[in-house]
Amino acid sequence: MNIEITPQTLVGSVNAVASKSHAHRLLIAAALSKRPAEVSIRTTSQDIEATRACLKQLKAGIPVLDCGESGSTLRFLLPVIMALKEEAIFLGSGRLPQRPISPLKEEMEAHGCSFSNKHRTKGTAQEICHIKGRLQGGLFTLPGNVSSQYITGLLFALPLLEKDSWIQITSPLESRSYVDLTLDVLKNFQIDIYTEEKEGLLTFKVKGRQQYIPPENLEAEGDWSNMAFWVAAGVLSKESGIIGRGVNLKSIQGDRAILSLTRRMGGEIQEKGDSFLALARPLHGIHIDASAIPDLVPILSVMAAAAKGTTCIHHAERLRIKESDRLAAMYDCLSRVGVDLAEQPGGLTIRGGSPIKGGRVSGYNDHRIVMAMAIASVVSEGPIIIEGAEAVNKSYPGFWDDFKYLGGEYREL
């Protein structure tokens, strides 16, 4: 679906969609529980449905897990499934079969699993790996700068094993808030993980033969990763701002940092209860370390384009292996609408303050690229055409409905 957006100020209130980061974790923990547990998820998405569908395969003798395009689903469930099964097949679509699973793969191989790939297909899905051998406990070593999702997958799996285990992180842990979110969910399911930090490096000690025991109430939080787009729309709009409802203002979610980053850029955020108000204010450029908040880079790049002065985004190397190469994608999209910026191996330098002129851009089959460029229309001088606008379904199927409700105007081409 290609759409043409007519520049309009956005104003009003919007309800948060469910955090897929939180929902993935709650669904997995609930599925591993000894007694039935019901998870309340206010909205769903392609990624959440991928995890839900894969967990139904727990009852199969040889599970065939179609992870769709969800990297979280794949990386979380690789060790979890092999803690329970002797054999499993993992499938994926889009860029997922090409996205890395190392060094998790090598650690699992060192602990009883063998990987192969016969390149089978099922509809649009391609085989990612065929694994044989039950995962065994022991010492796992992983770098902290590759993917926190590998650590999360092991933290879910290792309590199920017979032996005790240790996860040793060999370099400072980036995206630590995602691991903290995992630990919080595990704690609520009465899983004990001992965390030791020495000279900036973490070791997680995990006793085997634990049981997942669910709490009474399980509800996925509102999603800060997607609410960030409305924070940006509020501070970029020219009228009375945008109210976001249904969020935890003290959430462990790392992307709650959109509030502090917006304030650093000069925006005004008012907080009350489970809501915030984002108000239009002149923005200025800042330096942003994206190591802990990679998913915010697309929308922060749009905010930087509208801000006076230069914004430098660095430590964002991992964005090159997301649904798209997000650094290259944002460089291309913003260049096409007249923004002055430069791309580096690990980031972007954006010289803001000049008008955004409008133009035609690719959505790169990436939900966050599409939503970022939709918000860019708020400060654009001319229409923005986005190719592949349906990519929002991956995390936020109702995005275009909310965009229109807040005053946005678009038409399908």
Side-chain angles (χ1 to χ4, degrees), residues 162-224:
E162 288 293 317
K163 291 174 57 179
D164 296 349
S165 299
W166 297 260
I167 307 172
Q168 193 171 73
I169 311 302
T170 59
S171 61
L173 177 58
E174 297 182 0
S175 295
R176 181 167 177 171
S177 62
Y178 288 100
V179 175
D180 288 340
L181 182 61
T182 302
L183 293 171
D184 185 64
V185 169
L186 289 169
K187 181 180 179 181
N188 286 332
F189 279 79
Q190 299 187 38
I191 297 294
D192 293 326
I193 309 288
Y194 177 72
T195 305
E196 180 181 86
E197 185 166 1
K198 191 173 182 180
E199 297 180 355
L201 301 180
L202 291 167
T203 298
F204 301 101
K205 299 181 180 181
V206 187
K207 282 193 171 295
R209 301 167 66 179
Q210 296 192 58
Q211 291 190 354
Y212 282 76
I213 302 172
E216 290 299 320
N217 298 310
L218 292 171
E219 181 176 3
E221 289 185 352
D223 185 48
W224 278 107

Side-chain angles (χ1 to χ4, degrees), residues 75-386:
R75 290 165 173 170
F76 292 173
L77 291 184
L78 279 169
V80 169
I81 295 300
M82 300 320 296
L84 301 169
K85 302 290 182 178
E86 296 289 345
E87 186 175 357
I89 298 169
F90 286 82
L91 309 173
S93 303
R95 284 191 87 198
L96 187 59
Q98 287 74 50
R99 291 173 67 181
I101 54 174
S102 293
L104 177 61
K105 171 179 175 287
E106 288 75 16
E107 285 300 297
M108 289 178 63
E109 287 175 329
H111 291 81
C113 301
S114 64
F115 284 66
S116 63
N117 190 331
K118 297 181 180 178
H119 304 287
R120 288 168 286 204
T121 60
K122 182 182 178 183
T124 61
Q126 304 173 47
E127 181 177 332
I128 297 172
C129 56
H130 184 173
I131 313 177
K132 292 183 178 181
R134 191 73 67 94
L135 186 68
Q136 303 298 316
L139 174 63
F140 294 77
T141 59
L142 290 169
N145 62 345
V146 177
S147 176
S148 65
Q149 293 172 349
Y150 300 155
I151 301 167
T152 284
L154 289 172
L155 287 171
F156 276 117
L158 299 184
L160 302 170
L161 305 182
E162 288 293 317
K163 291 174 57 179
D164 296 349
S165 299
W166 297 260
I167 307 172
Q168 193 171 73
I169 311 302
T170 59
S171 61
L173 177 58
E174 297 182 0
S175 295
R176 181 167 177 171
S177 62
Y178 288 100
V179 175
D180 288 340
L181 182 61
T182 302
L183 293 171
D184 185 64
V185 169
L186 289 169
K187 181 180 179 181
N188 286 332
F189 279 79
Q190 299 187 38
I191 297 294
D192 293 326
I193 309 288
Y194 177 72
T195 305
E196 180 181 86
E197 185 166 1
K198 191 173 182 180
E199 297 180 355
L201 301 180
L202 291 167
T203 298
F204 301 101
K205 299 181 180 181
V206 187
K207 282 193 171 295
R209 301 167 66 179
Q210 296 192 58
Q211 291 190 354
Y212 282 76
I213 302 172
E216 290 299 320
N217 298 310
L218 292 171
E219 181 176 3
E221 289 185 352
D223 185 48
W224 278 107
S225 301
N226 283 328
M227 192 58 90
F229 296 98
W230 306 126
V231 173
V235 298
L236 294 177
S237 293
K238 302 178 180 65
E239 295 185 10
S240 55
I242 288 178
I243 297 171
R245 304 185 189 279
V247 289
N248 179 358
L249 293 169
K250 296 181 179 179
S251 174
I252 297 173
Q253 294 177 57
D255 287 345
R256 183 171 63 89
I258 187 63
L259 301 181
S260 59
L261 288 165
T262 298
R263 290 185 175 112
R264 282 180 56 204
M265 295 182 79
E268 182 178 347
I269 306 289
Q270 298 177 8
E271 302 177 19
K272 184 178 181 180
D274 68 348
S275 305
F276 66 83
L277 170 62
L279 293 166
R281 296 290 184 268
L283 301 181
H284 56 78
I286 60 173
H287 283 255
I288 298 172
D289 181 343
S291 59
I293 41 95
D295 285 345
L296 293 182
V297 168
I299 191 58
L300 288 170
S301 300
V302 170
M303 293 170 65
K308 289 187 177 181
T310 299
T311 295
C312 296
I313 300 173
H314 50 95
H315 294 157
E317 295 86 352
R318 282 177 296 150
L319 287 176
R320 298 202 181 276
I321 55 172
K322 294 285 189 175
E323 287 84 342
S324 69
D325 178 339
R326 286 183 178 159
L327 293 178
M330 287 309 300
Y331 173 80
D332 177 58
C333 289
L334 291 176
S335 295
R336 289 178 183 273
V337 297
V339 176
D340 181 11
L341 75 164
E343 179 185 355
Q344 290 89 36
L348 297 168
T349 299
I350 303 166
R351 292 170 280 275
S354 299
I356 293 178
K357 300 175 181 178
R360 189 181 190 101
V361 301
S362 171
Y364 284 89
N365 193 36
D366 190 323
H367 53 136
R368 301 205 190 280
I369 302 300
V370 171
M371 290 188 281
M373 294 311 297
I375 301 305
S377 71
V378 171
V379 288
S380 175
E381 292 184 337
I384 292 180
I385 296 171
I386 304 177

Side-chain angles (χ1 to χ4, degrees), residues 58-85:
L58 287 176
K59 298 177 182 178
I62 301 177
V64 178
L65 302 104
D66 186 349
C67 301
E69 297 186 31
S70 176
S72 296
T73 304
L74 172 65
R75 290 165 173 170
F76 292 173
L77 291 184
L78 279 169
V80 169
I81 295 300
M82 300 320 296
L84 301 169
K85 302 290 182 178

